Amino acid sequence: MRESHKPFIAIACQTTLVNKTGTWRTQRPEYEAGISPCQSACPARNYIPKCLDLVEQGELRNAWEVIMETNPLPFVCGSVCPHLCEASCNREQFDEALAIRDMERFLGEEALKNNWLPPKVADSNEAKVAIIGSGPAGLSCAYQLAHQGYKVTIYEALPVVGGMLQVGIQDYRLPRDILQREISNNILLPFKVEVKANSPVSREVFQRIRQEFQAIFIATGAQKARELNVPGVNLAGVFDGVSFLRDRALGKLPPDLLKGKKVVVVGGGGVAIDASRTAVRLGAEKVQLVCLESQEDMLAYELDIQDAAKEGVELNCSWGPEEILGDDNGKVRGVSFIRCTSVFDSEGKFNPSFDRSIERSFEADAAIIAIGQVSDLSFLAEEVRSTPEGKVKVDDALKTDVAGIFAGGDTVTQPATVIEAIAAGSRAAHSINRYLRGEPLTLQEEGGRIVQFEELNLDYFEHQVRQARISEPLSAVEEARRCFSCGYCNMCGMCWVFCPDIAIRQEEDHYEIDYDYCKGCGICVQECPGSSIVLVKE
Ligand code: FAD
């Protein structure tokens, strides 16, 4: 460098702020919340990154409230949800998916332990809404509507509230005391939702409800067992899966009902697995689960299958039931099967094929048939139409063919999952609210950019082992720290630190870009760990 009397660095004689360098820009960074893959995979669209960010800051109650916006049953879902969120978590491609389900369970337990109540209710609203069915769909709809101040009455056929949460999923997977407390604390008590238990809605009652209420949500689920069409189904000792589980949950079965007995369970879904495990608990000496599908094609979740196997349930795949064999006293003595060679046809439809030359019989004192459930829609007025498959017919806004009557959950989808039923309840509440306000029925906003693994800046993350069980706040914080925060600005400040133009301002709860000086270099976009800034052309 040439010797000079001038200073080593350039010093402006006046403020450089007059030079609005932002005018050079051809592209601009913008903060744009993307949708994380976990949130996108969750049918209820739980705002998981925000929840985990609050957990990381130790704000457990606020984190719980974020879940409560979309799901009033965090403990339930944290215990039994198939957690599609975890299967799509971007972290899975780095080390292991976040323990999102366990976090939800933990927050649900914390809420009950600390007696947290849901956020405030809107001013009361005179409109009255009837909900038929108190399963997760009905409860979720009641919660969302009551939260907006509507007067909600739930009609429930059974003496207990909760639908399949109470009488399908058994207590060894979902402890009853916690289930009941979660339903009461989060939904029924704070909002004074009226529940009419032991109130099956018949055709006549349905017409009366139509007169009394301004809107109705039908959430009656799929309660009836699908019938098996083989000889012997009426023999003594034959049960259908859902009734068997319901009776056991309602305390109608003696605890030693199957003591020392051999039991064959027919079916390959979750109900068959639960029926098998319940048979073990009722004292069965041997439980054989026999299904059409190969193990890979079974509808039951792999973890549930493994749990059943650990408890001694024997799995026999690719067999189709031929006959339930009886003795001279009209009692079950066994079940015969033929080889099932394929379950689905070339178009992917359920259309099993068999090889009758290969047979097998199982000795049995009892047979439990669990091959699916259907809805009982006999109470519906004729104008509320159903599909040929026996589901209530609805449009995307969950409206039936009759104004003011909506339907959702298993009665529309046929057996699905708890979280899908919860999502349907929320969606119906959104539609009912719009209907009662005389607004057009639009869908809840769902679009947006789903953040891909490749868009993340992994420089900021270290490999870290997933928490096996979140049991106290410390392990919750540790686990939440693993979250990539995909598409969600958690104010980490990397954009602010690296901006060469000092064009990013920190506000109380967000950052702002000063476009007078941002030259659009894109460093903030590159540095952002969770991809919550994008570059757009000017
Ligand atoms: P339901 O839960 O079936 O509730 C419907 C309610 O309506 C019932 O209480 C019923 O009594 C009431 N009702 C029906 N007809 C009338 C009438 N005419 N008048 C008044 N009330 C009426 N999902 C998971 O996500 N994870 C699991 O691990 C899981 N395991 C399962 C295990 C079993 C054994 C079963 C059966 C289901 C399981 N599911 C699981 C599925 C899940 O429970 C259902 O998808 C969910 O409960 C459906 O919710 P829903 O509100 O639509 O209906």
Side-chain angles (χ1 to χ4, degrees), residues 80 133 135-137 156-157 163-164 173 201 219-220 223 245 274 410 416-418:
V80 302
E156 170 53 57
M164 289 303 183
R173 291 208 287 129
V201 171
T220 46
Q223 314 298 319
L245 292 171
D274 275 348
D410 278 5
T417 59
V418 173

Side-chain angles (χ1 to χ4, degrees), residues 267-505:
V271 178
I273 294 284
D274 275 348
S276 305
R277 296 180 67 188
T278 301
V280 171
R281 283 164 178 76
L282 292 175
E285 176 196 299
K286 192 175 176 80
V287 180
Q288 304 267 6
L289 185 144
V290 193
C291 63
L292 287 174
E293 298 88 354
S294 62
Q295 188 166 346
E296 305 78 66
D297 287 342
M298 281 175 72
L299 291 175
Y301 304 119
E302 183 54 37
L303 280 178
D304 293 340
I305 298 173
Q306 286 169 15
D307 285 342
K310 277 185 215 150
E311 290 172 5
V313 174
E314 288 177 29
L315 195 57
N316 302 272
C317 290
S318 304
W319 294 104
E322 178 79 331
E323 182 175 355
I324 302 179
L325 309 165
D327 64 14
D328 296 341
N329 301 318
K331 283 194 186 148
V332 174
R333 67 174 173 82
V335 188
S336 68
F337 293 85
I338 49 175
R339 172 59 80 205
C340 176
T341 49
S342 70
V343 179
F344 302 101
D345 62 19
S346 54
E347 289 171 13
K349 290 200 186 117
F350 178 79
N351 188 10
S353 310
F354 300 99
D355 179 349
R356 294 186 171 277
S357 66
I358 310 176
E359 289 178 69
R360 180 162 181 198
S361 294
F362 294 87
E363 254 185 72
D365 308 296
I368 303 173
I369 314 300
I371 56 166
Q373 295 94 249
V374 289
S375 300
D376 178 358
L377 303 178
S378 56
F379 68 95
L380 280 183
E382 258 161 43
E383 314 88 273
V384 184
R385 285 195 290 175
S386 52
T387 66
E389 301 84 44
K391 312 172 195 177
V392 181
K393 186 168 162 275
V394 291
D395 62 13
D396 286 346
L398 299 184
K399 185 180 91 53
T400 66
D401 284 336
V402 179
I405 303 183
F406 299 78
D410 278 5
T411 201
V412 163
T413 54
Q414 297 295 357
T417 59
V418 173
I419 192 68
E420 283 169 280
I422 287 173
S426 285
R427 179 175 280 221
H430 174 80
S431 294
I432 290 170
N433 180 37
R434 293 188 72 89
Y435 166 78
L436 292 173
R437 289 160 164 264
E439 295 168 1
L441 297 188
T442 53
L443 296 181
Q444 279 159 303
E445 282 291 320
E446 284 203 342
R449 171 181 64 101
I450 298 175
V451 176
Q452 307 297 319
F453 180 70
E454 296 70 29
E455 295 173 73
L456 303 170
N457 181 1
L458 298 176
D459 293 347
Y460 292 98
F461 302 101
E462 284 176 355
H463 291 270
Q464 212 181 326
V465 177
R466 171 183 156 121
Q467 297 286 318
R469 172 99 179 155
I470 300 170
S471 50
E472 28 71 55
L474 202 64
S475 51
V477 171
E478 276 297 299
E479 186 60 17
R481 266 197 198 126
R482 298 181 63 238
C483 179
F484 284 158
S485 234
C486 305
Y488 171 76
C489 175
N490 58 6
M491 302 281 294
C492 72
M494 288 306 119
C495 51
W496 177 78
V497 167
F498 281 96
C499 175
D501 293 312
I502 318 179
I504 293 182
R505 264 200 321 272

